[in-house]
Structure formats: C-alpha cells, structure tokens
Amino acid sequence: MTGPVLRDWQSVRAEVLRRIHVRDWKPGDLIPNEADLASEFGCARSTVNRALRDIAQSGLLDRRRKAGTRVASNPVARATLSIPVMREEIEGVGRKYGYQLLSRSTEIPPVAESAAMQLTPDDALLHIRALHLADDRPFALENRWIDPGVVPGVTDAPLENISANEWLLQNAPYTHGEIAFSATVAQASDAPLLGCDTGAPLFVTERLTWDGTRAVTRVRILFPPGYQMRTAL
Amino acid sequence: MTGPVLRDWQSVRAEVLRRIHVRDWKPGDLIPNEADLASEFGCARSTVNRALRDIAQSGLLDRRRKAGTRVASNPVARATLSIPVMREEIEGVGRKYGYQLLSRSTEIPPVAESAAMQLTPDDALLHIRALHLADDRPFALENRWIDPGVVPGVTDAPLENISANEWLLQNAPYTHGEIAFSATVAQASDAPLLGCDTGAPLFVTERLTWDGTRAVTRVRILFPPGYQMRTAL
DNA sequence: AGAATTATTATGTGCATACATAAAATCAGC
DNA sequence: GCTGATTTTATGTATGCACATAATAATTCT
C-alpha cells in the first residue's frame, strides 16, 4: 500500500481532501497524526503540517493540540469575498467605469451615523454622495461620511475625479473594519439616480472602517435591482 | 537601529503591518527582501516568509518572484464570510432554533434551475421548502432542489427533523460551490411565511454546490427585512 | 537595433531537528 | 470518589540549509 510518494504540500493537501471527499475520513473522524501521515506519504512532518494547516483554514478540518486533527462535522463553509475598488470591479468585467460626484458638504450627520462611528452627535462630518457608472448606466449609489478629524487632507481631496474610496485607500490608513450586507427598497429620492422604480429591491453594503479606536469613514452603497455579489465556495 | 528582536512570525507580521500602517512603506512601495528583513529582525528567513505570506493572503501585500514584495496599491479588501449551518447561526446568538419542513416532493424543476444545475429540462429533482425559525419567529425561508441521482439516500432522508443542509453536509460530499447574494421583494406567497408584507425587501442567498461536474443541490434562501449578513474586514 | 540566450535574484518550497505549548490522560493523595 | 499535580502527546513554530522556479536583467548573436 505504498502509494506514490507525495512530496509537496499541495499534493498532500489534495490527497487529504480526496480522502475526506470519498469518506475514508468521515465528518467527525480523527485522522492520523502528522508524523504518521508524513511517513506514509514519504515526506517531512512540516510538509504535512503545511497542508493540514491550509485545509484547516478553509474550515474543513479542526485541529487542536494533543487532541489531534479531525474532519469538521459541520464544515462551516468559508467563502472569501474580494471587495475591490468599484472601478476595478467594473473594469474587471470589461465595462467602462464612470464616476460622478453628486454632492459634498460638511454637515452634522444623523444620530444613527454618529452613534455607529462613536462620535458625539454634534461633530460635523464630510458628507459625500456619488454615483458609480458602468457603461454609462448607474451601477451603485454611494453615501459616505468621513471624519475630517481623522483624515486631515480630505477636505481638499479632488473627489470630483477620483472616488472617495480610492482616495482614502491611498491616503488614510485604517486598522480594521466591519461590513454588513442587507436588502432595502428604493426610496423616491434614490430611485431615479439608480434608474429603477421606487420600491424596487436594492442590495446594500455598509462599511465602517476604523483606525484604532477612531472611526474613519462609514459608507452605505446601494445597488440597483439585479445586482449580485458572487463568490466561490 | 537594532530594535527589539522579533523572533516569531506573528511579531514579524505585526511589525510589517505597523510599518505599512504608519506609511513607512506606502501603497505601491517595494519593501526589503526576506533575507534583509530576517537579518534586521534577527530571525530566520523562513519566519519572515511565513509572516509575509500571511499578510499577502489578506491582500495587503503583493508578492512576485524576483520582483519582490510590495505594498498593494489598491488593497483589495478580503473579507472571509463564515457560512454556518442555519442552526448554528441562530444558536450562536443565543436564540432558540426551530425548523419546519413545508413541503417535499419530486418534481420537474423550472428551466432556470435545471439550466443552472446543467441538467436536461426533464430530470426530476427533489424539491424542498422549509422554514427556519429563531425564537419561534420566521428567520429564513429555504427553497431547495436536490438531484437524487447524485445523492442517492436523499429520498429517504428524515428531513422533517433535520434541515436539508445539515443532512447533506453529513451525507453528501461536494467538491466546490458558488454563492450569490442579492435583494428581492417578498412575493404574496412568501410574505406570510416570513411574517412580512408583500413587497418588503428580502435578502437572498443562492448557493449551488457541485461534486466534480455534477450539481448536488441548489438552494435559494430568503431572509425577512432587517436581516444583515455581517463580517469583519 | 532587435531577438534570442544566459545570468541573476527574490520568492517558494522541502527537510531535519529542536523546542514550545496546550490539552488530554494518568497518577497521587486525601 | 474526587481533586489536584504530573506525564504524555499532537500540534505549533523556529532554524539553517538546499534546491526549485519565475521573472527580470544582462549579454550575446544576427
């Protein structure tokens, strides 16, 4: 039963995945330890380690010291979403990107915003509304609040030509963020901009990014009916 | 400039991230090569390699052989979505999970389904409609098609008690899949089940899973207004 | 000059070894 | 029996070395 020698970690990964797939190792099962697998495959333990670590990262294996490695019984599917800059998302599918700044002003935001950003309700923020176009048709409507106290240069940023997201990525550091996806219906004010009817279903993404303990920006983007966010599993 | 010695890869990662963050290394910049960093940090090159690989995986660094490693100029944000089984999603936030099988029958699916699953339009599939409940209130409405030719045991599966997803995870292997998220409005037929009004905005997830070249199952899940899918960035 | 060839270089990987660490399993003491 | 200390063990990681590979840079040839 000395199968072909598996020298590289990707082959080891493939073989382990195969065994899981054909149910040699069933959900919940404990699989042999790294040392045994290494000697079976004819490679170093570190190679097996790399392969198993990679699989574990995808959620298909559970690894715990001393307890060993077992096949996840409820493999929490983990999908990695790439969230590119709007321009790349559009140009990536061969369409022409367009950008249109609708408004830009410094205002006191609604309490919902200042609360989410953990600011006092009377802090003024830079408010930006913009439309992203694909082949000259509405692709997404952006509604963004930026704290100029955290991002000093914003007030002079050339946001007529470059989207706020792109400018911020280049100019404002951040440490972490949160994203939420949901659905809503088109308001009468937004519908014409998105080229849809009032009441039409819109896909919404909301992002809040932080630099340490300070909120940098909060953005809500509305996508017209038909938009899908897709990813591989 | 012999800072504190950084021995482990997580410290190295933290330090590299810090330098990116404080713009020592700006978007687009080429950073020193692994060997140099290793000697600066006082650790082995493989340790630096591990750290940089990890950062690159998150999208913040671009690495190419010979060309070197540079800070991504448009850091494509990569969010990892965990898509647990519905029961765990609900119990995970401390609510009581409930499951209710609405209907189960073998039918010829609409062409949209059979096309997506790459089947001939006259193949009969198992059709399941079910409601997931959180604290006895509607949480999600599931509409699923399963190819019994690919999953032999399904026709006898006890889908009154266990959700199809859980049963399939335990009993039907798959190799890969696709997910799409979108928005729609509640149909008159679905609204009462979801406890919302007709025309209310619904969040939709659609999943299609494959076992090699054969489609296993396709599911469309509707979430009532207010539902958000969240993740960290 | 332009094309084809060769050298150089940074990352990618494999391996053997050593030690660290978490957690299960066992044992000691009451 | 139960509790707490101790041992065992599987994974986690660091290291130095070697070689593979991709892609750029330099060189040679026509």
Side-chain angles (χ1 to χ4, degrees), chain B:
Chain B
M1 198 71 228
T2 56
V5 177
L6 304 175
R7 313 196 155 286
D8 55 277
W9 73 269
Q10 314 202 35
S11 315
V12 172
R13 180 181 57 183
E15 173 60 13
V16 171
L17 287 173
R18 190 191 65 79
R19 292 188 186 182
I20 294 173
H21 183 236
V22 302
R23 324 206 120 231
D24 257 7
W25 297 333
K26 291 182 265 300
D29 281 5
L30 197 61
I31 78 174
N33 69 41
E34 297 184 347
D36 290 351
L37 287 175
S39 73
E40 183 196 337
F41 293 150
C43 65
R45 179 169 82 90
S46 48
T47 305
V48 174
N49 180 281
R50 172 91 190 260
L52 296 186
R53 240 194 310 123
D54 187 88
I55 299 176
Q57 198 168 26
S58 81
L60 225 67
L61 288 177
D62 278 334
R63 282 158 76 66
R64 271 166 51 217
R65 281 174 164 157
K66 164 73 182 175
T69 300
R70 55 181 66 236
V71 181
S73 33
N74 273 63
V76 175
R78 243 164 253 180
T80 305
L81 287 184
S82 291
I83 305 170
V85 167
M86 204 75 69
R87 179 220 304 271
E88 287 177 5
E89 179 168 358
I90 291 172
E91 291 177 346
V93 293
R95 306 174 71 185
K96 193 187 70 170
Y97 176 68
Y99 171 77
Q100 197 180 325
L101 180 64
L102 300 176
S103 74
R104 163 204 196 131
S105 58
T106 301
E107 307 168 28
I108 305 285
V111 281
E113 298 293 332
S114 50
M117 294 176 76
Q118 295 187 7
L119 298 170
T120 54
D122 54 336
D123 281 320
L125 299 180
L126 181 62
H127 183 206
I128 286 162
R129 282 170 41 93
L131 194 60
H132 299 267
L133 307 162
D135 287 341
D136 300 317
R137 291 170 42 198
F139 182 80
L141 178 60
E142 171 174 341
N143 194 329
R144 184 186 288 273
W145 296 87
I146 306 173
D147 186 341
V150 178
V151 191
V154 237
T155 34
D156 316 312
L159 298 181
E160 298 78 28
N161 311 311
I162 185 178
S163 83
N165 190 18
E166 282 179 74
W167 189 89
L168 286 167
L169 277 175
Q170 302 279 347
N171 295 280
Y174 70 95
T175 53
H176 63 289
E178 304 148 30
I179 313 189
F181 305 97
S182 56
T184 192
V185 291
Q187 309 287 10
S189 53
D190 296 332
L193 289 165
L194 284 167
C196 66
D197 294 329
T198 301
L202 306 179
F203 186 81
V204 186
T205 89
E206 284 167 299
R207 245 178 302 172
L208 177 55
T209 61
W210 299 84
D211 186 16
T213 57
R214 308 187 65 186
V216 177
T217 182
R218 187 167 135 93
V219 61
R220 181 176 158 95
I221 302 175
L222 305 178
F223 294 87
Y227 176 79
Q228 282 194 329
M229 186 174 71
R230 324 177 122 277
T231 182
L233 187 58

Side-chain angles (χ1 to χ4, degrees), chain A residues 141 147 149 168:
Chain A
L141 178 60
D147 186 342
L168 286 167

Side-chain angles (χ1 to χ4, degrees), chain A residues 143-166:
Chain A
N143 194 329
R144 183 184 291 269
W145 297 87
I146 305 173
D147 186 342
V150 179
V151 192
V154 237
T155 34
D156 317 312
L159 299 182
E160 299 78 27
N161 311 311
I162 184 177
S163 83
N165 189 18
E166 281 178 76

Side-chain angles (χ1 to χ4, degrees), chain A residues 6-230:
Chain A
L6 304 176
R7 315 196 153 288
D8 56 275
W9 71 271
Q10 317 204 36
S11 314
V12 171
R13 179 180 58 183
E15 173 61 12
V16 171
L17 287 173
R18 189 192 66 79
R19 291 187 187 183
I20 294 173
H21 182 236
V22 303
R23 326 207 117 229
D24 256 7
W25 297 333
K26 292 183 263 302
D29 281 5
L30 197 62
I31 77 173
N33 68 39
E34 296 184 346
D36 290 351
L37 287 176
S39 73
E40 183 196 337
F41 293 151
C43 66
R45 179 168 81 92
S46 51
T47 306
V48 174
N49 182 280
R50 172 93 190 257
L52 297 187
R53 241 193 311 122
D54 187 87
I55 298 176
Q57 200 167 25
S58 80
L60 224 68
L61 287 178
D62 279 334
R63 280 156 78 67
R64 271 165 55 214
R65 281 176 164 155
K66 166 71 184 175
T69 301
R70 55 182 67 235
V71 181
S73 34
N74 274 67
V76 176
R78 238 164 258 181
T80 305
L81 285 185
S82 290
I83 304 171
V85 167
M86 204 75 70
R87 181 222 301 272
E88 287 177 4
E89 179 169 357
I90 290 171
E91 291 177 345
V93 294
R95 307 173 70 183
K96 194 187 68 170
Y97 176 68
Y99 172 76
Q100 198 180 326
L101 181 64
L102 300 176
S103 76
R104 163 200 195 136
S105 59
T106 301
E107 307 168 29
I108 306 283
V111 281
E113 298 292 333
S114 50
M117 292 175 78
Q118 295 187 6
L119 299 170
T120 55
D122 54 334
D123 282 321
L125 299 180
L126 182 62
H127 183 203
I128 286 161
R129 282 169 39 94
L131 194 60
H132 300 268
L133 306 162
D135 288 340
D136 300 316
R137 291 170 42 197
F139 183 79
L141 178 60
E142 171 173 341
N143 194 329
R144 183 184 291 269
W145 297 87
I146 305 173
D147 186 342
V150 179
V151 192
V154 237
T155 34
D156 317 312
L159 299 182
E160 299 78 27
N161 311 311
I162 184 177
S163 83
N165 189 18
E166 281 178 76
W167 188 90
L168 286 167
L169 277 174
Q170 303 280 345
N171 296 281
Y174 70 95
T175 53
H176 63 288
E178 304 147 30
I179 313 187
F181 305 97
S182 56
T184 191
V185 291
Q187 308 286 11
S189 53
D190 296 332
L193 289 165
L194 284 167
C196 65
D197 295 329
T198 302
L202 305 179
F203 186 81
V204 187
T205 89
E206 283 167 300
R207 244 178 304 173
L208 177 55
T209 62
W210 298 85
D211 187 16
T213 58
R214 307 188 65 186
V216 177
T217 182
R218 188 167 133 96
V219 61
R220 180 176 157 96
I221 303 175
L222 304 178
F223 294 89
Y227 176 79
Q228 283 194 328
M229 187 174 71
R230 325 177 121 277

